[in-house]
Amino acid sequence: MIKLDVLAIGSLQRDEKGNVFDAHSSSVLIRTDERMIVVDTSTPYMKPAIKTSFKQIGVFPKDVDTVVLTHFHFDHVGNNDMFENADILMHPDECGVIDGAKPLDIDREIVPGVKIVHTPGHTKGSISVFVKADQKYVIAGDAIPKYSNYKKMVPPAINTDEELALESVKIITKYADAIIPGHDPPFLVSR
Ligand SMILES: [Zn+2]
């Protein structure tokens, strides 16, 4: 039985000109029979919130054995140091950017029910985590940063390849019953 908990809800604020001035990513805990996985570690600003979530759930950061990073941007990787016993895994193309990170097997399950899917476009090495729990979840990172990207079917404003980015939005939406975006609360996909 896979359990999924949102440790921190991502947020993003823009000024009047539309420039981002404050960004903190979502952080998610996945518990399976074999593994304790955190997807994205957000920013140091969110550390107290993440610690509170661990207390409420009743597990400890030291018990996390795997940290999966959706991509290398600073607002997704800021609390890696909380997880002293974890392997830090990400797309092979982006490993070099983050201290101690190791390459993920792409488009494979890391444990039954938890699959890493390459969803490029925001960055070249962006990945999403597809989870089959009580329903089908996708932890999308910035492949789908905001609810509005899903609602309007538009790629993330920050991207390295707009076409690929839109394709990734579609791949995620097709699979998911619920999406945990990089910088918004989780939401349900309507069919
Ligand atoms: Zn990003």
Side-chain angles (χ1 to χ4, degrees), residues 55-67:
K55 277 189 192 144
Q56 287 176 336
I57 295 162
V59 295
F60 296 95
K62 70 173 172 51
D63 297 331
V64 172
D65 51 59
T66 309
V67 170

Side-chain angles (χ1 to χ4, degrees), residues 71 73 75-76 122-123 142 183:
H71 63 296
H73 286 162
D75 52 325
H76 293 253
H122 173 64
T123 66
D142 288 350
H183 295 275

Side-chain angles (χ1 to χ4, degrees), residues 2-6 28-31 131 133-134 137-139 180:
I2 295 178
K3 290 181 189 159
L4 189 145
D5 292 281
V6 178
V28 178
L29 177 68
I30 304 166
R31 287 176 289 161
V131 183
D134 55 320
Y137 297 88
V138 175
I139 304 158
I180 300 160

Side-chain angles (χ1 to χ4, degrees), residues 61-112:
K62 70 173 172 51
D63 297 331
V64 172
D65 51 59
T66 309
V67 170
V68 173
L69 301 174
T70 58
H71 63 296
F72 69 91
H73 286 162
F74 76 96
D75 52 325
H76 293 253
V77 306
N79 293 309
N80 293 353
D81 62 350
M82 275 180 76
F83 306 105
E84 57 203 83
N85 298 321
D87 281 333
I88 297 177
L89 305 177
M90 61 197 305
H91 193 284
D93 287 356
E94 298 188 357
C95 275
V97 188
I98 301 297
D99 263 356
K102 299 175 190 167
L104 269 169
D105 277 343
I106 302 301
D107 297 326
R108 293 266 295 275
E109 285 192 331
I110 47 176
V111 285

Side-chain angles (χ1 to χ4, degrees), residues 10 12 25-26 40 70-71 76 119-123 126-128 130 138-158 165-176 178-187 189:
L12 189 84
S25 83
S26 299
D40 282 349
T70 58
H71 63 296
H76 293 253
T119 48
H122 173 64
T123 66
S126 283
I127 58 101
S128 297
F130 286 36
V138 175
I139 304 158
D142 288 350
I144 298 187
K146 303 284 288 175
Y147 174 72
S148 58
N149 295 99
Y150 156 74
K151 190 71 190 165
K152 298 177 193 160
M153 274 295 138
V154 292
I158 298 168
L166 182 58
E167 194 54 37
S168 293
V169 173
K170 289 177 181 167
I171 288 167
I172 291 165
T173 303
K174 194 174 171 194
Y175 173 86
I179 293 172
I180 300 160
H183 295 275
D184 251 342
F187 59 86
V189 173

